[in-house]
């Protein structure tokens, strides 16, 4: 293009292409794609992605299980990378820094929720890392971390504490904050009896954090084969949810339950586990739940609540806590060419306990 035309373009209309992996429709396997990224604007940070975790939400979105997926979908919101370029208004990040990007890349920054550091509930709608309308490239949706590079507003870049393993830190950006935030919001403390349902990516971080906060942790699982691992991760007890007798012995005993089951399910058996005034927080099932008995809540003034990731400030606090306590995820590093097999294993609850893509393999 001629220089004159070039000068009339806004920076946001200038793009570069980068390699990525994604899907073209809901039934397609993931395969290599080329996508556009914007040029670095004044408030932007560009990173070369080194690792990206594989969240069950990536699968729900790639396969349009929640509806609303726009194709192509390039998943990935547990991003670790090295800063390669910063805009002129960026002072707290520089070339070479190890940084993270989680589930959000933008929000209005002005509404009550944003001002309260709850950007995930932005009144104008947060821009999520993938499958949101891209504010910078017209007509395109955001593309996630299964790619070589990404350009993100400086307010949505997280510092990764020195000394944390980069690959193991990737899942902290979603699985970490999604479990940390409800444990903190509902004030889980030393001595509380906490249950974590589902030993997958989120659940294993929930166990680690609840243990680090001093709680007595019970892993509630459908998989007897995971019992030993659950204890290594920090669970004091393991409860098999399909063992009715064992469930009965734990009835009315939990102060707090974090429920990570990724699909709709029967609630009654889990509600029976809560003490008077105790809360079960859902983070997994977005779809309709099986009908549950109001009496389970009424008899005991029990509560069911929900929680969505966490704000940027809280995500940084969680990362700093992980730095101090040397907490990272237990991961299996994969080649991006094995991503489709990894998806199938996650769906079969056969992940120990998070897949992380080595982005050098792209
Ligand atoms: P994951 O790695 O697949 O783990 C889910 C675990 O739940 C499985 O390993 C399994 O553990 C258990 N499970 C699976 N199906 C079950 C069923 N039908 N009944 C009972 N237990 C079942 O998934 P994840 O990445 O941790 O994500 C969990 C869910 O949270 C997903 O739906 C994801 O989209 C969602 N999510 C929500 C947020 C948020 O902000 N709220 C953020 C991230 C992810 P056992 O073998 O131990 O039973
Ligand atoms: Zn996620």
């Amino acid at each position: 293009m001629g220089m004159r035309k070039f000068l009339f373009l806004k920076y946001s209309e200038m793009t570069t292409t980068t390699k990525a992996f994604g899907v073209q429709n809901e039934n397609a396997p993931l395969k290599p794609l080329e996508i556009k990224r914007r040029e670095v604007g004044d408030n932007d940070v560009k990173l070369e992605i080194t690792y990206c975790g594989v969240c069950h939400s990536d699968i729900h979105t790639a396969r349009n299980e929640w509806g609303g997926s726009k194709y192509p979908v390039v998943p990935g919101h547990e991003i670790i990378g090295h800063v390669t370029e910063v805009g002129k208004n960026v002072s707290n990040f520089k070339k070479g820094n190890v940084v993270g990007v989680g589930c959000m890349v933008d929000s209005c920054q002005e509404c009550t929720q944003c001002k309260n550091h709850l950007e995930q509930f932005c009144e104008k709608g947060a821009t999520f890392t993938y499958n949101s309308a891209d504010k910078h490239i017209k007509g395109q949706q955001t593309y996630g971390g299964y790619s070589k590079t990404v350009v993100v507003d400086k307010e949505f870049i997280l510092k990764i504490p020195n000394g944390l393993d980069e690959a193991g830190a990737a899942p902290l950006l979603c699985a970490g904050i999604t479990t940390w935030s409800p444990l903190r919001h509902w004030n889980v403390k030393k001595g509380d009896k906490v249950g974590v349902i589902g030993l997958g990516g989120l659940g294993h971080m929930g166990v680690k954090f609840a243990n680090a906060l001093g709680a007595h942790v019970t892993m509630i699982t459908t998989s007897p084969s995971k019992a030993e691992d659950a204890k290594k991760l920090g669970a004091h007890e393991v409860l098999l949810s399909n063992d009715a007798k064992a469930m009965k012995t734990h009835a009315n005993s939990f102060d707090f339950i974090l429920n990570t089951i990724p699909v709709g399910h029967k609630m009654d058996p889990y509600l029976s586990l809560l003490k008077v005034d105790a809360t079960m927080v859902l983070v997994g099932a977005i779809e309709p739940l099986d009908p549950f008995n109001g009496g389970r809540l009424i008899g005991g003034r029990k509560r069911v609540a929900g929680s969505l990731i966490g704000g940027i400030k809280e995500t940084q606090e969680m990362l700093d806590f992980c730095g101090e306590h040397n907490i990272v995820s237990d991961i299996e590093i994969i080649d991006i060419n094995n991503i489709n097999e990894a998806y199938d294993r996650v769906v079969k609850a056969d992940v120990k306990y998070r897949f992380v893509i080595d982005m050098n393999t792209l």
Side-chain angles (χ1 to χ4, degrees), residues 23-309:
V23 290
Q24 295 287 7
N25 65 65
E26 63 188 63
N27 300 310
L30 289 109
K31 63 178 187 49
L33 299 170
E34 293 233 312
I35 56 168
K36 284 185 204 156
R37 297 292 194 195
R38 69 178 184 267
E39 294 288 329
V40 175
D42 292 349
N43 298 316
D44 287 337
V45 175
K46 180 169 188 168
L47 33 152
E48 183 169 295
I49 301 171
T50 50
Y51 294 100
C52 186
V54 177
C55 178
H56 204 127
S57 304
D58 299 355
I59 303 172
H60 289 310
T61 309
R63 298 182 176 174
N64 199 22
E65 290 168 355
W66 291 334
S69 295
K70 289 210 180 90
Y71 293 92
V73 168
V74 175
H77 57 205
E78 295 183 337
I79 302 170
I80 296 283
H82 297 176
V83 174
T84 56
E85 205 180 329
V86 299
K88 72 171 196 286
N89 298 339
V90 179
S91 55
N92 49 344
F93 296 103
K94 58 177 200 294
K95 204 175 159 178
N97 286 167
V98 179
V99 296
V101 175
C103 303
M104 295 179 281
V105 289
D106 211 345
S107 74
C108 84
Q109 304 280 298
E110 283 168 1
C111 71
T112 310
Q113 302 307 331
C114 285
K115 290 238 181 297
N116 282 337
H117 305 287
L118 296 169
E119 299 88 352
Q120 72 273 32
F121 304 128
C122 173
E123 289 164 13
K124 300 210 174 112
T127 304
F128 292 96
T129 305
Y130 55 78
N131 206 45
S132 272
D134 193 315
K135 284 188 190 169
H136 300 268
I137 305 178
K138 216 175 160 202
Q140 179 172 299
Q141 71 273 22
T142 52
Y143 295 132
Y146 296 6
S147 66
K148 281 282 186 199
T149 64
V150 66
V151 179
V152 177
D153 186 285
K154 63 183 167 51
E155 303 302 330
F156 290 80
I157 303 278
L158 286 308
K159 290 198 159 83
I160 303 302
N162 284 336
L164 279 190
D165 176 61
E166 280 185 39
L172 300 176
L173 279 314
C174 174
I177 185 59
T178 302
T179 51
W180 173 260
S181 182
L183 289 167
R184 298 291 291 150
H185 183 77
W186 276 272
N187 193 28
V188 163
K189 55 190 185 309
K190 202 169 160 50
D192 283 354
K193 182 170 171 180
V194 169
V196 178
I197 308 176
L199 186 46
L202 266 52
H204 96 288
M205 290 312 305
V207 168
K208 286 187 187 215
F209 286 145
N211 178 299
L213 293 169
H216 179 87
V217 186
T218 303
M219 181 71 233
I220 304 170
T221 177
T222 62
S223 307
S225 61
K226 293 180 185 172
E228 216 171 288
D229 284 351
K231 292 200 170 156
K232 279 190 217 141
L233 292 165
H236 303 94
E237 286 182 83
V238 175
L239 171 56
L240 296 177
S241 51
N242 37 29
D243 178 345
K245 217 169 130 198
M247 290 288 276
K248 216 165 178 183
T249 63
H250 284 268
N252 307 310
S253 70
F254 285 88
D255 295 290
F256 181 80
I257 295 178
L258 181 65
N259 180 340
T260 78
I261 299 174
V263 289
H265 57 275
K266 286 195 170 61
M267 300 271 281
D268 283 342
Y270 302 112
L271 294 174
S272 301
L273 298 173
L274 294 170
K275 259 186 189 167
V276 171
D277 279 335
T279 303
M280 175 161 82
V281 173
L282 302 176
V283 289
I286 283 185
E287 54 270 85
L289 299 157
D290 289 10
F292 61 93
N293 189 330
R296 302 263 181 211
L297 299 180
I298 293 167
R301 202 160 57 186
K302 299 175 183 183
R303 306 183 191 102
V304 176
S307 188
L308 177 68
I309 48 175

